[in-house]
Amino acid sequence: MEKKHEITAKQLAFLDRFLKNHNFGSEDDKIELKDHIISDFEINGNGNLSQYLSEELSFIKKFIGNKLRAIHKSYRRKTIDEALSFFTSIKKLPITVAVFLIIYFLTMNLNGTILIVSFFISVLSFFIYSQFFLNIKKKDRKKLDRIEYLGQEMWLPYLMIMFPLGFLEDIVINKYFFTVYWFVAIAYSVAAIIVMKKEKAIIYEKYKHLLS
Amino acid sequence: MTAVIARINKYTIKPQKNMGNQKLFKGSLQTIILKLLAQNDKMYGYEITQKVKELTKGELKITEGALYPALHKLEADGLLDVEVAKVGNRLRKYYKLTEHGTKETANKLAEMQEFLKTMQHLVNPKFSLE
């Protein structure tokens, strides 16, 4: 990889400003993007950085979008795998069955209003825990965009609380359906929280050079 | 590694010349990245694109638009670890295999060899890859 020319300090400052002004991703993204741009510019560029950047603009924009998509997909898959493991892992299966039976018992024995309130409190408490107690400092979020997506898998339980707001009483009529509905909301919440905790620990270890 | 890429190249792909074959190449990208990292301990993104170009004498080119999503996916899946080092006037993000990534590399290479063998039997039954 022979360099045609070396990037100057002035061009480097220009590149920093360019990435900052266009708000291209977090600090982590910028490290990789900047290194790629400089490496390619020094080997294939014609010395005009401004022209080079305008030609590479589409790649730079896609770089961030594709990365976030990959991270998001990965968290979703891990959450689904975790939720499935509640049924496939011999260690977890007794707890899964116990939780299901408790929900079934509550659904069958509580009256409409108390049942709805119990459903809300149980699912909402997981949501609040994930969003406030597993939260990551704001300044760390700016440095590493994968953190931003950590809590987003709680969207399904949140939707399961919000979606039937207008017709909860109709849903409660079918006790069997409501048992499954409640159970899925709880199981997915727990899976998302487990993944959040695991990933948070991995991220803080892997990116300690970036995070406080 | 050269052998694997040469086989892919010989029998299936020349993405710069034939757009239709890019799909075949895309399916092998993760295996190529993993194999390169297994041989080189740690590499950075641009280095991977140049290494593949060099190994295939320019016949196969990994575009940055395909490389980075693949690297980020492998990292998110826990197959790659990252390491940041200061190089000259900037920081550089290196990728290296995790323990899980090392095991997965062996699996993916075995799958690739099997696939190439099957394709060879289908496309050209008289000759074998071995």
Side-chain angles (χ1 to χ4, degrees):
Chain A
M1 289 191 280
E2 268 185 46
K3 288 181 187 176
K4 282 187 197 164
H5 40 76
E6 192 116 357
I7 194 162
T8 64
K10 205 178 161 187
Q11 285 174 322
L12 209 54
F14 176 79
L15 179 60
D16 279 333
R17 273 200 312 278
F18 176 84
L19 293 176
K20 197 179 170 190
N21 291 344
H22 286 78
N23 204 17
F24 284 130
S26 62
E27 280 180 39
D28 177 47
D29 294 325
K30 285 191 186 106
I31 290 174
E32 194 161 43
L33 250 180
K34 219 169 114 175
D35 183 44
H36 179 91
I37 290 168
I38 297 170
S39 301
D40 195 43
F41 174 71
E42 288 182 335
I43 291 170
N44 298 317
N46 63 2
N48 185 339
L49 183 64
S50 174
Q51 186 193 343
Y52 175 86
L53 288 174
S54 67
E55 284 165 7
E56 293 293 314
L57 198 60
S58 130
F59 155 67
I60 296 169
K61 281 181 180 168
K62 277 184 190 162
F63 178 93
I64 310 293
N66 287 337
K67 184 180 176 185
L68 295 182
R69 247 194 310 280
I71 291 167
H72 203 176
K73 266 189 190 171
S74 157
Y75 288 155
R76 178 159 303 165
R77 200 173 47 253
K78 282 175 185 169
T79 307
I80 293 170
D81 287 348
E82 188 64 46
L84 289 176
S85 78
F86 296 159
F87 303 94
T88 54
S89 158
I90 296 168
K91 274 185 188 172
K92 293 174 187 172
L93 196 59
I95 302 168
T96 310
V97 174
V99 170
F100 184 82
L101 290 176
I102 290 167
I103 292 173
Y104 177 76
F105 176 80
L106 291 173
T107 311
M108 294 299 165
N109 292 290
L110 296 176
N111 70 41
T113 314
I114 298 176
L115 182 59
I116 290 168
V117 171
S118 307
F119 166 73
F120 261 94
I121 291 173
S122 60
V123 181
L124 209 60
S125 58
F126 284 113
F127 184 78
I128 291 168
Y129 175 73
S130 74
Q131 300 303 306
F132 295 99
F133 294 96
L134 286 179
N135 208 359
I136 291 164
K137 292 169 203 158
K138 214 172 183 179
K139 60 176 181 176
D140 285 346
R141 284 173 183 241
K142 282 183 185 170
K143 290 175 188 168
L144 198 61
D145 45 20
R146 66 184 55 233
I147 288 175
E148 196 70 42
Y149 282 83
L150 252 187
Q152 290 207 357
E153 277 315 299
M154 289 303 286
W155 69 271
L156 183 67
Y158 182 75
L159 205 71
M160 288 179 85
I161 307 170
M162 293 304 166
F163 175 69
L165 268 185
F167 47 95
L168 254 177
E169 284 183 2
D170 299 325
I171 288 183
V172 173
I173 290 170
N174 187 334
K175 299 271 186 184
Y176 296 109
F177 174 76
F178 189 74
T179 304
V180 175
Y181 189 83
W182 191 356
F183 178 72
V184 169
I186 296 283
Y188 202 83
S189 300
V190 174
I193 285 171
I194 292 172
V195 171
M196 264 180 98
K197 279 189 162 181
K198 278 185 195 167
E199 290 297 312
K200 192 179 166 184
I202 292 170
I203 287 170
Y204 268 94
E205 176 56 32
K206 203 191 263 187
Y207 289 94
K208 55 188 168 198
H209 58 278
L210 270 178
L211 306 172
S212 52
Chain B
M1 181 64 201
T2 320
V4 171
I5 293 180
R7 283 176 185 181
I8 296 165
N9 204 22
K10 187 175 174 185
Y11 297 104
T12 54
I13 3 165
K14 283 181 184 172
Q16 284 165 296
K17 293 169 188 170
N18 186 343
M19 286 295 284
N21 287 335
Q22 279 192 6
K23 284 180 186 171
L24 293 168
F25 172 57
K26 216 177 164 185
S28 326
L29 186 55
Q30 289 191 5
T31 313
I32 293 171
I33 293 170
L34 290 172
K35 178 66 181 168
L36 278 172
L37 287 169
Q39 287 182 323
N40 292 278
D41 185 32
K42 61 177 186 180
M43 293 177 93
Y44 57 99
Y46 194 73
E47 187 184 11
I48 294 173
T49 61
Q50 298 305 300
K51 190 78 183 171
V52 171
K53 208 167 148 185
E54 180 197 317
L55 286 171
T56 61
K57 297 185 175 71
E59 279 284 297
L60 212 150
K61 193 185 168 213
I62 299 183
T63 62
E64 56 266 35
L67 174 75
Y68 288 104
L71 281 172
H72 297 149
K73 188 181 178 303
L74 290 168
E75 191 205 340
D77 290 346
L79 302 184
L80 301 185
D81 214 343
V82 291
E83 192 182 294
V84 175
K86 192 161 169 53
V87 178
N89 49 14
R90 60 188 182 267
L91 291 171
R92 178 165 282 165
K93 194 171 171 181
Y94 286 98
Y95 291 91
K96 57 184 181 181
L97 290 176
T98 59
E99 210 173 300
H100 176 43
T102 309
K103 284 177 198 161
E104 197 56 30
T105 305
N107 293 340
K108 281 198 178 278
L109 280 170
E111 274 173 28
M112 169 73 80
Q113 301 277 16
E114 200 55 42
F115 172 72
L116 289 172
K117 229 190 271 178
T118 311
M119 287 306 287
Q120 178 60 20
H121 283 305
L122 281 171
V123 175
N124 201 356
K126 284 180 187 173
F127 299 100
S128 165
L129 282 172
E130 288 172 26

